[in-house]
């Protein structure tokens, strides 16, 4: 399967712990996006990369959140000192270039529960 | 600010019938894209259909079509001959051509009744 993959699919952690999620985009896609989706809501943009450069970050991305895409391929999203409010589905999406033909392809998401 | 509004949290349709999901958006931009994404229960989001704002012709993809009213900033999705597999959460999304962020609505949960 050459779609977007995310790992793990589910994560349960205790408040105050750090967690890290991984996203593997479609191989030829140079853009990678992270979104957060809470119950009953649509995805909310967190950040995006073009190749290895993180070009935009949402105000939702507090200083406890950090994302990397070191080699322009897979990306990681780390949440430090997790809080119960961080419980959500974290979605990754990838696309090729920008402009008129850009369409995002989503991964299955990582569901985080902070106890 | 760009916002996307889906005013129908839930919709239902009888199998084989037609249903229309509503979406409105607010923008000052003239060139943008609109999308409908489908998110089945516990499965990943997939693109259903996209519309380029500069095109007057409504997009169609098999049983899925849109009614794009640019002046009214309305972008509804019509599903014809509804099938059980169409049951999902449907999200309307928007992106300006020169921008990077996608803005999503809150979704409409579609139930298909056998």
């Amino acid at each position: 399967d050459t779609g977007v993959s995310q790992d793990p699919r589910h994560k349960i952690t205790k408040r105050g712990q750090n967690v890290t999620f991984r996203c593997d985009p479609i191989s030829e896609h140079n853009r990678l996006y992270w979104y957060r989706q809470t119950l009953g809501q649509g995805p909310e943009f967190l950040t995006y990369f073009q190749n290895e450069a993180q070009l935009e970050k949402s105000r939702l991305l507090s200083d406890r959140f950090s994302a990397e895409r070191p080699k322009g391929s897979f990306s990681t999203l780390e949440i430090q000192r997790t809080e119960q409010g961080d419980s959500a589905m974290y979605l990754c999406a990838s696309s090729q270039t920008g402009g008129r033909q850009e369409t995002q392809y989503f991964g299955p998401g990582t569901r985080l529960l902070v106890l | 600010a760009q916002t996307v509004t889906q005013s129908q949290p839930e919709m239902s349709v009888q199998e084989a019938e037609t249903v229309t999901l509503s979406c409105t958006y607010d923008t000052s931009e003239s060139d943008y894209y609109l999308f409908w994404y489908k998110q089945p229960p516990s499965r990943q989001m997939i693109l259903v259909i996209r519309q380029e704002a500069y095109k007057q012709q409504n997009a169609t993809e098999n049983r899925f079509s849109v009614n794009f009213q640019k002046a009214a900033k309305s972008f509804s999705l019509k599903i014809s001959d509804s099938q059980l597999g169409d049951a999902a959460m449907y999200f309307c999304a928007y992106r300006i051509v020169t921008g990077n962020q996608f803005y999503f609505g809150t979704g409409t949960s579609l139930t298909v009744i056998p």
Side-chain angles (χ1 to χ4, degrees):
Chain A
D1 189 302
T2 57
V4 179
S5 61
Q6 292 185 246
D7 182 70
R9 295 291 304 277
H10 303 274
K11 179 71 177 179
I12 301 174
T13 191
K14 293 182 179 179
R15 188 176 53 184
Q17 298 294 305
N18 299 343
V19 294
T20 300
F21 309 142
R22 176 177 170 127
C23 171
D24 286 89
I26 293 172
S27 57
E28 63 267 26
H29 285 181
N30 60 349
R31 287 193 170 188
L32 187 148
Y33 298 77
W34 284 100
Y35 291 86
R36 182 174 70 186
Q37 184 179 19
T38 53
L39 198 63
Q41 299 297 316
E44 295 173 294
F45 172 81
L46 291 179
T47 188
Y48 105 95
F49 293 83
Q50 179 150 321
N51 300 313
E52 66 277 7
Q54 187 174 18
L55 297 184
E56 195 166 343
K57 292 194 289 187
S58 162
R59 289 172 296 175
L60 293 174
L61 211 67
S62 77
D63 56 6
R64 296 186 296 105
F65 288 69
S66 62
E68 294 183 345
R69 194 183 184 198
K71 298 181 180 179
S73 56
F74 73 91
S75 175
T76 57
L77 177 68
E78 181 183 16
I79 309 174
Q80 296 182 327
R81 306 182 301 282
T82 52
E83 301 173 357
Q84 288 183 325
D86 296 332
S87 297
M89 174 79 86
Y90 290 85
L91 296 171
C92 175
S94 71
S95 66
Q96 175 59 31
T97 317
R100 296 196 172 280
Q101 298 306 314
E102 180 174 1
T103 296
Q104 293 192 352
Y105 296 86
F106 283 82
T110 294
R111 186 171 295 281
L112 172 67
L113 178 61
V114 182
L115 301 176
Chain B
Q2 289 86 4
T3 58
V4 179
T5 301
Q6 292 180 251
S7 59
Q8 306 155 316
E10 298 178 343
M11 291 283 285
S12 61
V13 62
Q14 204 76 32
E15 193 176 5
E17 297 296 310
T18 296
V19 64
T20 299
L21 308 184
S22 302
C23 173
T24 59
Y25 56 95
D26 185 23
T27 184
S28 57
E29 301 289 335
S30 60
D31 201 6
Y32 50 86
Y33 279 110
L34 295 163
F35 305 83
W36 278 99
Y37 278 88
K38 170 185 176 182
Q39 188 175 40
S42 301
R43 296 182 61 187
Q44 64 200 80
M45 194 141 38
I46 58 174
L47 179 67
V48 174
I49 197 166
R50 57 184 277 160
Q51 173 78 40
E52 299 168 40
Y54 73 92
K55 289 186 177 179
Q56 292 186 336
Q57 185 175 7
N58 290 324
T60 62
E61 286 288 341
N62 301 315
R63 297 182 298 106
F64 299 88
S65 62
V66 298
N67 183 5
F68 173 48
Q69 301 290 327
K70 190 171 184 179
K73 297 180 182 175
S74 170
F75 182 61
S76 60
L77 174 70
K78 185 171 83 170
I79 307 174
S80 304
D81 186 25
S82 297
Q83 301 176 358
L84 295 178
D86 294 334
M89 184 72 88
Y90 286 81
F91 291 99
C92 177
Y94 158 97
R95 181 179 79 89
I96 62 173
V97 171
T98 55
N100 305 304
Q101 287 198 30
F102 280 58
Y103 297 89
F104 286 83
T106 52
T108 296
S109 178
L110 178 67
T111 300
V112 181
I113 303 166

